[in-house]
Amino acid sequence: MPTRKLIVDGKEIEADDGITLMQACEQAGAEIPRFCYHERLSVAGNCRMCLVEWVGAPKPQASCALQVRDIFPNKDGTPAKINTTSPYARKAREGVMEFLLINHPLDCPICDQGGECDLQDQAMGYGRAAFHRFNENKRAVEDKYMGPLVKTIMTRCIQCTRCVRFATEVAGVPDLGATGRGEDMEITTYLEKAFASELSGNVVDLCPVGALTSKPYAFNARPWELRKTESIDVMDAQGCNIRVDSRGPQVMRVLPRLNEDVNEEWISDKARHACDGLIRQRLDRPYVRVNGKLKPATWNEAFAAIAARLRETSGARMAAVVGDLAAAEEIKALKDLMTALGAASLDCRQDGAKLAGGPRQSYLFNSTIAGVEAADAILLVGANPRWDAPVLNARIRKAWLAGPLKVANIGPEVDLTYPVEQLGTSIAVLEEIAGGGHPFAKTLKDAKRPMIVLGTAALARTDGAAILKLAARIAGDTGMIGPAGSVAEGGWNGFNILHTAASRVAALDLGFLPGDGGRDVAGIVDGAQKGEIDFIYLLGADEFDVAHLGRAFVVYQGSHGDAGAHNADVILPGAAYTEKDGTYVNFEGRVQRGERAVFPPGEAKEDWAIIRALSEVLGHTLPYNDRTALRAAITRQAPHFAEVGKTPVHADTGSATWDNIGTAGPLDRAPLTPGITDYYLTNPIARASETMAICSREFLGGAKLAAE
């Protein structure tokens, strides 16, 4: 890219023509205030706070709306001079700040933005110290309704339009806009309805003043009271980087952390607002079922009840199921314990997905999340990215906005915030594409970087293995499997599985699958009903038919009193994701770690420690006494767990590998059905959340729930 020389505050720099003057000034070390400008949104240039002096220009220049290529040299050929701290530039900013504060209410003591407000900070740094020169009455604006998550006090609004641009450009839901002109301008929802996006909470982070704040968090805490802990979101399988803010024993809020490769700086509404479910319906002490009723017990009594039952059965009649929110540490510990007991009926696929533990590429999102931006054709099969992974859906929309991206869908018709060619709901369409007889087969072949995305709705069917084989065949025939290496290095792998369970990839990596003669989840349920399975260990597993486990002795270890706990004979209280140091692997295969923000309530313990203590009582003591030794054991089994935070680069395993993915078999002609029926209530934490229950009723027409 061509470059141009500038002199910024006396320092000569060489900047790319295509960047803004603001970015060039910041490269030179200058600090430029702004309200409307945001790196991920289009340029609006309407707050004027970023004014700088271009020596020789007739007026101050808005540095966000001016590109370097627009800054021509002086008449004598010397580089243009830009001053960001001169009296001229300071006076211009002081004037802008004075105008902004004319109508802004004096709400700071009661404003939830207080302490982390851009207007406060910049008024201190760039405002006038003297009294203001305007004595007219302040303007007042009626508050707007934006749904159960976003609280509005629009008198504070400074019309930066960040929220409008986010809704239109990133979320793809153009519900917000500006009406009126001049003093009558207002930001509003066009039809006086809720802001219907799974990413709506991000407008609160974007708002530089207190006009948009978090409604569930209103008046709860000040930022300086909170302890901040870095963690990983488990509400879906994308592994968004989050910051957990806690006060004492309670999580007060969840905010996004910047990670360009995973979530940029966005998180979903469920990741942000389901945290109030962490204090409701909690299991805080062990329980044992006596005469048909669950009664409180000590840890020793609970372990003794389990040991007594296990003495009466054999490993062939035991089973274990891992839930969607489990971390790698407890998955490894439970697998080692059940293997020591001789059990082969282990499964982590509560939804029944027909995925085996074969080559890693067969169950990963191989294109990587950031790699989506390089795709030029995408075929969705039984996937709804808007609900399965809302932040990934925003990334696909970003790719569509940036270039010619064609997206087609086989499955129920859904609004994905970008144009999608609907190919039907029958899996026969996929068969037609595999045979080359469908027009979209040519689209995939002609694309430079085509992708296929298989959702759990396709893989959980009885013909899921056959669908997996068809998809792998399409990937091989259309050039989706390119050279090894990262996208930046020219590598490409367009075969993708879109998981929805945060624990799934780690469990597959660690081989938590049926062994020789073992049963999957459906087989475990069937065996329990027939009396062939006597003992079932549920590690936070609530998303399958736990009410029909026959007379089997059920141990439920988890954090919430959900479906699994209601049907258990022994309950062991575990820790939620904010209450333990855990390792998670997202759907692209990236290993990440979350830190403990608060301690588990009551007598609840970290999950791996519970299993370690139980193993000692059962006479099969696990060979690790602390988390470090446990993680070392995990790394010995799966060496990639040592590469924390690194983007996975998948090696080229050859065509033979892709020929062996899935199992050939007859296809079910029944139409594909949605994998998720209620986005807001997909796990025990979300179902315990009052906020998620309100969202479900507001956006999906759900019934009133106990959480409310």
Side-chain angles (χ1 to χ4, degrees):
M1 183 177 288
T3 60
R4 184 161 298 191
K5 289 184 178 181
L6 299 174
I7 298 176
V8 179
D9 294 336
K11 178 182 178 181
E12 184 173 312
I13 64 165
E14 194 166 336
D16 291 340
D17 264 6
I19 67 174
T20 65
L21 179 57
M22 174 188 288
Q23 291 170 314
C25 291
E26 290 183 336
Q27 286 179 10
E31 182 179 317
I32 308 293
R34 83 289 301 268
F35 290 114
C36 69
Y37 178 81
H38 192 277
E39 291 81 358
R40 303 189 196 280
L41 304 175
S42 61
V43 174
N46 55 5
C47 78
R48 319 310 284 181
M49 195 63 207
C50 64
L51 294 176
V52 298
E53 179 187 8
W54 178 3
V55 177
K59 59 182 180 180
Q61 303 295 309
S63 59
C64 73
L66 203 62
Q67 289 189 310
V68 170
R69 65 167 58 96
D70 300 322
I71 310 296
F72 49 83
N74 297 322
K75 290 182 179 180
D76 59 1
T78 58
K81 292 183 178 180
I82 306 296
N83 294 327
T84 67
T85 57
S86 65
Y88 184 75
R90 283 203 302 269
K91 183 178 180 182
R93 291 174 189 163
E94 287 173 359
V96 170
M97 180 60 69
E98 192 173 0
F99 273 114
L100 287 174
L101 295 177
I102 288 171
N103 287 313
H104 198 78
L106 299 176
D107 275 355
C108 297
I110 61 164
C111 178
D112 270 320
Q113 198 81 347
E116 48 192 6
C117 173
D118 288 350
L119 187 63
Q120 280 183 333
D121 296 341
Q122 294 186 37
M124 290 294 293
Y126 302 99
R128 295 177 72 241
F131 59 89
H132 68 80
R133 296 167 286 177
F134 294 84
N135 297 310
E136 290 81 1
N137 292 331
K138 287 182 179 287
R139 168 179 180 257
V141 179
E142 184 180 352
D143 294 339
K144 308 299 188 294
Y145 179 70
M146 290 191 184
L149 301 179
V150 182
K151 176 184 176 182
T152 64
I153 301 182
M154 300 311 291
T155 299
R156 300 172 184 163
C157 179
I158 60 171
Q159 286 93 39
C160 72
T161 69
R162 279 186 180 183
C163 57
V164 176
R165 285 174 284 147
F166 173 84
T168 304
E169 297 165 15
V170 179
V173 181
D175 285 351
L176 303 183
T179 62
R181 298 185 68 185
E183 191 177 9
D184 295 326
M185 180 178 173
E186 297 182 17
I187 304 296
T188 180
T189 52
Y190 291 118
L191 301 175
E192 292 293 327
K193 70 179 187 68
F195 180 16
S197 170
E198 296 75 23
L199 300 170
S200 65
N202 291 289
V203 299
V204 173
D205 295 337
L206 289 172
C207 185
V209 294
L212 305 179
T213 54
S214 172
K215 189 175 284 187
Y217 178 69
F219 306 128
N220 277 352
R222 287 297 195 186
W224 54 84
E225 302 173 335
L226 304 176
R227 185 175 64 180
K228 302 165 178 60
T229 309
E230 295 185 353
S231 190
I232 303 298
D233 171 46
V234 298
M235 295 295 125
D236 57 39
Q238 185 162 346
C240 293
N241 288 211
I242 58 173
R243 191 187 86 196
V244 179
D245 286 0
S246 57
R247 183 177 62 188
Q250 185 175 343
V251 172
M252 304 302 295
R253 64 177 180 179
V254 172
L255 297 176
R257 281 191 294 129
L258 179 68
N259 188 321
E260 295 288 354
D261 293 331
V262 179
N263 58 300
E264 297 181 306
E265 58 188 87
W266 319 124
I267 56 171
S268 68
D269 288 345
K270 188 161 53 174
R272 185 185 298 269
H273 291 295
C275 60
D276 64 327
L278 292 167
I279 60 171
R280 294 183 173 90
Q281 300 182 28
R282 289 303 304 268
L283 300 173
D284 59 358
R285 63 184 305 174
Y287 289 85
V288 175
R289 193 175 294 276
V290 180
N291 298 325
K293 291 186 178 181
L294 286 169
K295 297 190 179 296
T298 65
W299 280 103
N300 289 336
E301 290 169 345
F303 287 165
I306 296 170
R309 189 68 177 91
L310 285 175
R311 282 194 292 269
E312 301 172 4
T313 189
S314 64
R317 300 175 68 86
M318 299 178 194
V321 181
V322 162
D324 291 351
L325 308 183
E329 285 82 0
E330 53 259 31
I331 296 172
K332 170 66 173 171
L334 182 58
K335 181 176 185 291
D336 288 352
L337 175 59
M338 297 306 293
T339 302
L341 292 170
S345 297
L346 312 177
D347 206 356
C348 61
R349 305 160 299 180
Q350 290 190 90
D351 51 16
K354 305 302 186 290
L355 289 167
R360 236 180 146 225
Q361 291 89 335
S362 67
Y363 56 81
L364 292 182
F365 197 93
N366 294 293
S367 300
T368 70
I369 297 167
V372 166
E373 296 182 31
D376 50 0
I378 300 176
L379 175 62
L380 304 173
V381 184
N384 176 5
R386 186 167 174 181
W387 278 9
D388 296 346
V391 180
L392 175 72
N393 192 64
R395 185 83 76 152
I396 298 175
R397 175 176 169 79
K398 180 181 178 183
W400 170 73
L401 287 172
L405 172 65
K406 296 180 180 178
V407 185
N409 178 47
I410 301 175
E413 189 171 352
V414 288
D415 176 15
L416 294 177
T417 72
Y418 39 85
V420 177
E421 182 183 352
Q422 184 66 28
L423 303 183
T425 59
S426 173
I427 209 65
V429 179
L430 187 67
E431 194 173 25
E432 194 177 343
I433 293 173
H438 194 281
F440 201 76
K442 185 177 186 306
T443 302
L444 292 173
K445 273 195 172 181
D446 293 343
K448 292 181 179 178
R449 284 179 169 167
M451 282 174 52
I452 186 168
V453 180
L454 289 178
T456 51
L459 297 173
R461 292 162 44 113
T462 54
D463 58 349
I467 293 173
L468 187 65
K469 189 163 191 68
L470 264 182
R473 179 177 152 197
I474 292 171
D477 292 347
T478 57
M480 289 185 188
I481 314 302
S486 67
V487 176
E489 297 167 344
W492 184 252
N493 186 336
F495 182 83
N496 299 306
I497 307 297
L498 181 55
H499 297 284
T500 56
S503 65
R504 185 68 50 83
V505 174
L508 291 171
D509 284 346
L510 294 171
F512 205 97
L513 293 166
D516 293 338
R519 302 169 183 256
D520 61 9
V521 166
I524 292 169
V525 173
D526 182 62
Q529 291 175 335
K530 293 178 179 177
E532 297 168 357
I533 295 289
D534 295 333
F535 178 88
I536 302 174
Y537 200 113
L538 303 180
L539 181 58
D542 301 275
E543 311 305 326
F544 71 103
D545 196 4
V546 293
H548 293 85
L549 295 180
R551 296 184 179 179
F553 187 89
V554 178
V555 176
Y556 179 81
Q557 178 180 331
S559 59
H560 284 71
D562 207 75
H566 284 289
N567 295 278
D569 294 288
V570 175
I571 295 175
L572 305 177
Y577 72 104
T578 56
E579 299 160 1
K580 60 188 174 188
D581 294 314
T583 304
Y584 302 92
V585 186
N586 72 352
F587 54 60
E588 63 176 350
R590 185 189 302 266
V591 179
Q592 302 184 109
R593 284 182 181 160
E595 298 177 8
R596 185 187 64 216
V598 295
F599 287 94
E603 298 178 37
K605 310 291 182 186
E606 287 197 37
D607 293 278
W608 77 267
I610 295 173
I611 298 168
R612 168 62 179 77
L614 175 61
S615 72
E616 197 167 343
V617 174
L618 299 180
H620 294 278
T621 304
L622 295 175
Y624 26 78
N625 296 320
D626 55 38
R627 191 180 298 105
T628 302
L630 173 55
R631 286 176 173 170
I634 292 173
T635 304
R636 282 194 296 273
Q637 179 179 346
H640 63 268
F641 272 87
E643 300 176 354
V644 178
K646 294 184 180 179
T647 302
V649 178
H650 310 300
D652 185 0
T653 54
S655 59
T657 296
W658 300 97
D659 292 340
N660 295 327
I661 290 176
T663 306
L667 291 172
D668 188 347
R669 299 301 170 182
L672 285 161
T673 56
I676 295 177
T677 55
D678 191 329
Y679 163 74
Y680 297 99
L681 305 174
T682 56
N683 60 63
I685 297 174
R687 286 190 288 271
S689 165
E690 182 179 0
T691 304
M692 291 297 99
I694 294 170
C695 287
S696 175
R697 193 179 70 243
E698 173 84 28
F699 296 113
L700 305 176
K704 189 177 179 68
L705 299 178
E708 299 178 75

